[in-house]
Amino acid sequence: MRLTVNSTLPELQAHLNTLYARLNGDLSEPLNAVAGLLENSTRKRFETKTAPDGSKWAQLSLWTLYAKTGKNGKTRGSILVDRGDLLRSITSHATESMAEVGTDRVYARYLQTGTAKMPAREIFGLSDQDRADIRDELHDWLQTIWSGK
């Protein structure tokens, strides 16, 4: 299963196209860094309980809280975390022309988009902070390339 969340940074497109040509079509080094940034950002959403747009994830339903409560009265896990399988499955990958973050967990689609009985809790996507971090990473990388260091 593949869930694709496309996002672009149009203000960088012309610069990347020029750089892409200068590097013989191989942007794997900076895109690997971008993929790592996005993987970390995606993982952090499990801590902050926020979607890429900054909105807070919906609270768990009473039924879900009941299901997550053990005989000792303690609730296991938190929103989108029961035993940690989804969080551990988040991975990133980059090639010479793209960076991606994802999971092999089929149920992630329903968490991302929601269902008739469950609100969406977006995991994947670009936040404003992600955009700024990507710009900074690419700027630093370009400075290194152009300065010959």
Side-chain angles (χ1 to χ4, degrees):
M1 195 265 324
R2 183 180 191 134
L3 173 66
T4 302
V5 179
N6 288 321
S7 203
T8 59
L9 298 170
E11 62 275 19
L12 292 176
Q13 194 63 47
H15 297 294
L16 287 176
N17 287 338
T18 302
L19 185 59
Y20 185 79
R22 277 185 72 184
L23 295 173
N24 297 320
D26 187 357
L27 293 175
S28 56
E29 186 179 336
L31 290 176
N32 196 29
V34 167
L37 284 170
L38 294 177
E39 180 179 341
N40 290 337
S41 174
T42 301
R43 289 177 182 281
K44 188 169 181 143
R45 289 191 184 107
F46 287 83
E47 296 172 25
T48 62
K49 312 287 187 246
T50 56
D53 68 3
S55 63
K56 288 288 186 185
W57 287 346
Q59 293 296 315
L60 295 174
S61 70
L62 291 177
W63 184 91
T64 302
L65 283 172
Y66 175 77
K68 291 176 77 121
T69 302
K71 293 179 183 178
N72 61 3
K74 293 186 179 180
T75 303
R76 99 183 154 260
S78 62
I79 300 173
L80 299 192
V81 178
D82 190 15
R83 290 177 175 81
D85 293 341
L86 176 61
L87 180 56
R88 280 191 302 274
S89 75
I90 303 295
T91 59
S92 61
H93 174 73
T95 68
E96 68 278 351
S97 61
M98 66 90 181
E100 68 181 359
V101 174
T103 179
D104 61 355
R105 303 295 180 214
V106 176
Y107 58 87
R109 168 184 298 230
Y110 306 110
L111 302 173
Q112 179 79 14
T113 61
T115 68
K117 295 185 177 187
M118 181 184 69
R121 294 180 179 98
E122 292 182 41
I123 305 164
F124 302 105
L126 285 177
S127 68
D128 289 341
Q129 185 62 54
D130 293 335
R131 291 173 189 273
D133 291 345
I134 290 168
R135 285 184 194 101
D136 291 345
E137 182 68 35
L138 292 176
H139 177 267
D140 293 347
W141 187 78
L142 289 171
Q143 288 294 344
T144 301
I145 293 293
W146 284 323
S147 69
K149 294 180 182 176

